[in-house]
Amino acid sequence: MPQENYSVKRIELVAYSRPHAERLTSMVDERLARREVNYYLKVTIGAHDREFTGAVEGLVGQRPGKPMTSRYWEYLETVASRLMGSQLDAEALANGQLGPQVKAWVEPTAELIDDARALDLRQWAKVQRAVSSIHKALKHLFTDFARRMTDATCGAPPAALEDEALVEALFTRAEQVLYLPEGEPPTYTYQPRLQGVLQEPSPPLHPNAFDDTPLMLPLGTMDAKSHLMERECLRQGFNVLRTGKGVFTADKGGQRFYFKLSRSPLVSVDAIALCTHKEATREFLAPLGFPVPRGRMFPSGGYDNATRYANLIGYPVVVKPATGVRGIGVVPNIRSDEELRSAFHVLETSKLGHDDFIVEKHIFGEDYRIMVIGGKVRAATLRAPASVTGDGKHTVAELILIKNRYRQRIPHLKSRPIVYTESTQYQLDKVGYTLHSVPPLGERVNLSGSCNLSQGGDSVNVHHEMHPSIIKLAEDAVKAVPGLDYCGIDFLIEDHRKPVGETDIGICELNAHAAIGTACYPMFGDAVNVPRQAIEEILHNHDMPLTPLDDDQITVKVRVRGKVTGVGFRKWVARHARKGGLNGYVKNRDKRTVEAVLQGSLVAISSLTTACIRGPSEALPTSVRVVHVNESPHDGFTLIR
């Protein structure tokens, strides 16, 4: 029995998106597996050249979709972080004497307890159940380590950990993933093929990490478009009335503006109508000489005529819904009638399968979103398919875990991890890889056929590299549409560094309410504050002065009406306010109104005020009014009972 101490070298933590009764490793309580949230913890301990890997599966005593679920994941992350790097006495481990150390690892966090009082029995029961569950799981895991370390054949890990079906099952179920230690940061290198010839690579880019990420946690999975617009309105001194998750009005000095998601006074109703339909956009731009792919729209089910048309214009082609969003139902680079039939099946089984669809000529190149505001290009983002880059050490599965951890640091990508799907398996099969394969150093492994960020794609700011002729083309195309002062124009471009005429290029669509978080929070490259530029353009168009407030110190009074008393709303506000470093107070104003004063950073305040239209799970807010006020500084944040 070796006497040197061991330390925790690596941790993988997976939280499932839903309960599963099928056991993958050791289940703490099988009876609850069908209705409560599961997690999987894989730990590697080692000393010098000896390593042992074990895994355990358990429950956190909470049904999925309930308000405590997200906090349980944060708690699991905390436990993993405490465990990582811990020193383990070999002799104590062999004698099963890790009890006190395990208890220290699973001590509940303040966020999990959520200011619960001793008499709040339901809340304490949830906390204690989670702590007990993870305590049992860790004791089971380290007892197994002790047994195997005394075994003559302890050098080999359990066979189940090498089972590819197990890894695939984990990735299929996963909602959240954490990998410790971090590993080498993923990088992005742009190196396109121009007419089949590999071009010079651009310098590699390293992933971003934004300080805004923890401050935006109150938003959860809410769409950031509306929030980012509200944030910039508050920065310019506007008062805000929010009546829905994506709808608010901003007023100041007698002027009032209406917003829906990223729609604003910069876009007319006529422009929205034209941009919403891809076929109408093509029919408008083509006669004006803009490069649009040759194509036609077909009614739902018109597959025979669509197949004849594909043969007429020649393969490869693309199939997509006429009014699609987020890449749903889109199948690119179709090269035969057989592949076209498969594409029709993909389209038909998607959410937009009963809509009209388009067949058009495939354009080779990467996917770009170019933001044009006030007739000028303000940002250009390349959207690359989900991928990982080999380092010669980690498996594909581990590389996915590592990259998802870096995506967690970016507000726009935090809720958009790389997920394992049939499409992922299809891409790996094409190159003969599995999740257990170790790609060589520098090899890029594609995991998706779509460039959509919601499916794990990367966002890369390339404005500084884009050729001036492409920038002018984008500006001219948007100017051609009356009433379109804000637009995300989507291009397919072979090489954005080459001039128009020397590279294959085509306009896919004009988006009058494009996602603004893509440029604001890219995975790689410099960030561009597109919502700020949009609000400043609105003020310019209405001859209003720019009066930005100090981003680090603003004070607002918030009144939330609806079913907001007796449902934990004040406690919810206080918890997020304290986590965001805000000062002030929250109280019940009357039976249907909660009032709060918030002092602190613009990002933290605007994130919380936007999220107030949702609130805790049992609340039903109907409106949120945010007004700038002058008030003496508060010391800390107080929940007034």
Side-chain angles (χ1 to χ4, degrees):
M1 170 67 192
Q3 294 302 310
E4 68 269 23
N5 289 340
Y6 285 77
S7 62
V8 179
K9 300 289 188 181
R10 289 188 300 278
I11 291 178
E12 290 179 21
L13 174 63
V14 178
Y16 299 170
S17 57
R18 60 187 184 277
H20 286 274
E22 313 91 70
R23 295 175 59 178
L24 297 180
T25 58
S26 301
M27 185 68 68
V28 173
D29 190 343
E30 272 190 274
R31 295 172 301 171
L32 302 174
R34 293 183 181 276
R35 64 184 183 89
E36 296 192 346
V37 175
N38 299 22
Y39 66 87
Y40 170 88
L41 181 69
K42 179 179 175 182
V43 179
T44 298
I45 64 172
H48 300 296
D49 59 345
R50 306 189 66 193
E51 286 193 351
F52 303 89
T53 299
V56 67
E57 190 178 34
L59 305 167
V60 287
Q62 177 67 23
R63 296 182 182 181
K66 295 296 183 180
M68 286 286 284
T69 304
S70 62
R71 274 189 283 152
Y72 280 139
W73 168 249
E74 294 175 14
Y75 170 55
L76 284 169
E77 282 188 311
T78 302
V79 173
S81 299
R82 290 172 180 167
L83 182 62
M84 182 62 204
S86 296
Q87 296 297 311
L88 310 172
D89 183 86
E91 185 175 353
L93 181 61
N95 295 329
Q97 296 175 355
L98 279 180
Q101 195 169 0
V102 172
K103 289 180 180 178
W105 288 331
V106 301
E107 181 183 353
T109 63
E111 290 78 9
L112 184 67
I113 297 174
D114 191 28
D115 299 321
R117 294 171 296 173
L119 296 178
D120 193 351
L121 298 180
R122 287 191 306 169
Q123 186 78 353
W124 277 109
K126 294 176 183 177
V127 172
Q128 291 302 320
R129 190 170 178 182
V131 172
S132 175
S133 171
I134 299 171
H135 183 267
K136 290 179 182 178
L138 290 181
K139 284 189 68 175
H140 177 95
L141 180 61
F142 283 94
T143 299
D144 182 61
F145 275 140
R147 178 187 58 77
R148 292 174 50 227
M149 288 167 60
T150 57
D151 192 330
T153 59
C154 64
L161 295 177
E162 297 298 316
D163 184 2
E164 185 168 338
L166 167 63
V167 178
E168 291 182 7
L170 285 170
F171 274 78
T172 302
R173 300 175 181 186
E175 179 182 58
Q176 301 278 8
V177 291
L178 176 70
Y179 180 83
L180 296 170
E182 295 185 359
E184 290 297 317
T187 59
Y188 182 85
T189 300
Y190 179 68
Q191 189 176 21
R193 289 184 179 274
L194 189 62
Q195 298 177 356
V197 179
L198 200 63
Q199 304 297 296
E200 285 293 320
S202 294
L205 297 172
H206 296 278
N208 292 315
F210 293 94
D211 295 337
D212 294 355
T213 305
L215 300 178
M216 295 172 65
L217 287 177
L219 294 169
T221 57
M222 288 180 66
D223 195 302
K225 295 179 187 178
S226 181
H227 158 69
L228 292 173
M229 286 297 207
E230 178 182 343
R231 181 195 298 181
E232 294 306 319
C233 287
L234 290 174
R235 180 176 178 269
Q236 291 293 339
F238 281 83
N239 298 324
V240 169
L241 175 63
R242 179 172 288 277
T243 54
K245 291 181 180 179
V247 181
F248 71 91
T249 60
D251 60 88
K252 175 185 175 183
Q255 285 276 21
R256 178 170 293 177
F257 302 116
Y258 299 87
F259 296 85
K260 182 177 182 182
L261 298 177
S262 58
R263 295 182 188 176
S264 71
L266 292 175
V267 183
S268 69
V269 175
D270 293 341
I272 291 175
L274 175 65
C275 295
T276 300
H277 202 282
K278 293 179 175 64
E279 182 71 5
T281 304
R282 184 199 356 259
E283 292 296 326
F284 179 84
L285 293 176
L288 300 177
F290 292 103
V292 293
R294 185 181 178 187
R296 261 192 60 190
M297 184 177 71
F298 297 89
S300 176
Y303 302 136
D304 291 341
N305 287 336
T307 302
R308 285 192 284 270
Y309 181 74
N311 282 275
L312 175 65
I313 63 176
Y315 290 107
V317 298
V318 177
V319 169
K320 59 185 180 182
T323 57
V325 292
R326 298 191 299 276
I328 296 172
V330 178
V331 183
N333 201 18
I334 302 164
R335 295 179 171 273
S336 66
D337 287 0
E338 182 179 357
E339 290 186 12
L340 186 60
R341 284 193 292 272
S342 298
F344 290 149
H345 175 71
V346 172
L347 172 69
E348 198 169 40
T349 55
S350 73
K351 295 179 181 178
L352 302 174
H354 299 293
D355 292 357
D356 295 342
F357 66 95
I358 292 172
V359 174
E360 65 184 22
K361 191 72 176 176
H362 176 84
I363 296 176
F364 291 96
E366 301 274 16
D367 181 274
Y368 294 80
R369 165 66 56 79
I370 300 178
M371 295 300 303
V372 181
I373 300 174
K376 296 181 180 179
V377 168
R378 309 299 181 110
T381 306
L382 184 157
R383 299 179 294 191
S387 67
V388 292
T389 302
D391 59 7
K393 298 181 292 185
H394 292 94
T395 65
V396 172
E398 290 174 325
L399 291 171
I400 292 174
L401 292 174
I402 292 170
K403 193 164 188 180
N404 277 341
R405 189 173 188 206
Y406 280 88
R407 292 174 75 87
Q408 289 286 308
R409 303 177 180 185
I410 301 171
H412 191 61
L413 302 178
K414 184 175 175 63
S415 61
R416 296 174 170 90
I418 300 173
V419 294
Y420 183 80
T421 63
E422 290 184 6
S423 175
T424 310
Q425 186 60 56
Y426 173 74
Q427 295 295 328
L428 292 176
D429 288 343
K430 285 171 64 175
V431 293
Y433 280 170
T434 69
L435 286 170
H436 284 276
S437 301
V438 180
L441 179 66
E443 180 180 337
R444 183 177 172 185
V445 181
N446 280 335
L447 302 172
S448 173
S450 168
C451 298
N452 199 275
L453 304 186
S454 298
Q455 299 176 23
D458 292 331
S459 50
V460 189
N461 180 10
V462 295
H463 190 193
H464 62 290
E465 284 188 337
M466 187 156 283
H467 196 275
S469 63
I470 299 178
I471 291 177
K472 185 178 185 306
L473 175 63
E475 292 174 346
D476 289 345
V478 174
K479 288 176 183 177
V481 181
L484 190 59
D485 282 338
Y486 172 95
C487 180
I489 180 169
D490 291 347
F491 278 91
L492 285 172
I493 308 173
E494 246 185 330
D495 189 341
H496 63 256
R497 303 169 300 185
K498 303 292 184 182
V500 176
E502 294 184 17
T503 181
D504 200 6
I505 186 170
I507 298 174
C508 300
E509 66 175 293
L510 303 177
N511 195 325
H513 44 89
I516 49 184
T518 306
C520 238
Y521 298 111
M523 179 82 175
F524 302 99
D526 295 335
V528 181
N529 198 328
V530 171
R532 179 166 298 177
Q533 294 172 347
I535 298 302
E536 290 178 352
E537 183 69 18
I538 292 172
L539 295 177
H540 173 75
N541 290 348
H542 290 80
D543 297 321
M544 297 179 67
L546 301 181
T547 55
L549 302 174
D550 182 355
D551 287 6
D552 296 324
Q553 189 58 49
I554 67 171
T555 301
V556 299
K557 179 172 286 186
V558 186
R559 286 184 180 172
V560 187
R561 290 188 56 78
K563 183 185 174 184
V564 293
T565 58
V567 292
F569 203 97
R570 289 174 302 159
K571 188 179 290 187
W572 178 85
V573 170
R575 174 165 59 90
H576 284 298
R578 289 165 184 160
K579 291 177 72 173
L582 301 178
N583 297 323
Y585 66 82
V586 61
K587 66 179 183 179
N588 286 338
R589 181 177 175 84
D590 56 48
K591 291 184 178 181
R592 289 190 55 81
T593 308
V594 166
E595 180 178 280
V597 166
L598 306 176
Q599 295 178 332
S601 75
L602 173 66
V603 176
I605 287 176
S606 59
S607 299
L608 184 49
T609 58
T610 299
C612 277
I613 197 63
R614 182 185 59 184
S617 62
E618 295 182 15
L620 290 173
T622 55
S623 68
V624 181
R625 163 66 77 176
V626 186
V627 180
H628 290 274
V629 294
N630 292 316
E631 226 177 272
S632 300
H634 289 259
D635 184 15
F637 196 88
T638 305
L639 191 160
I640 301 175
R641 300 189 182 277

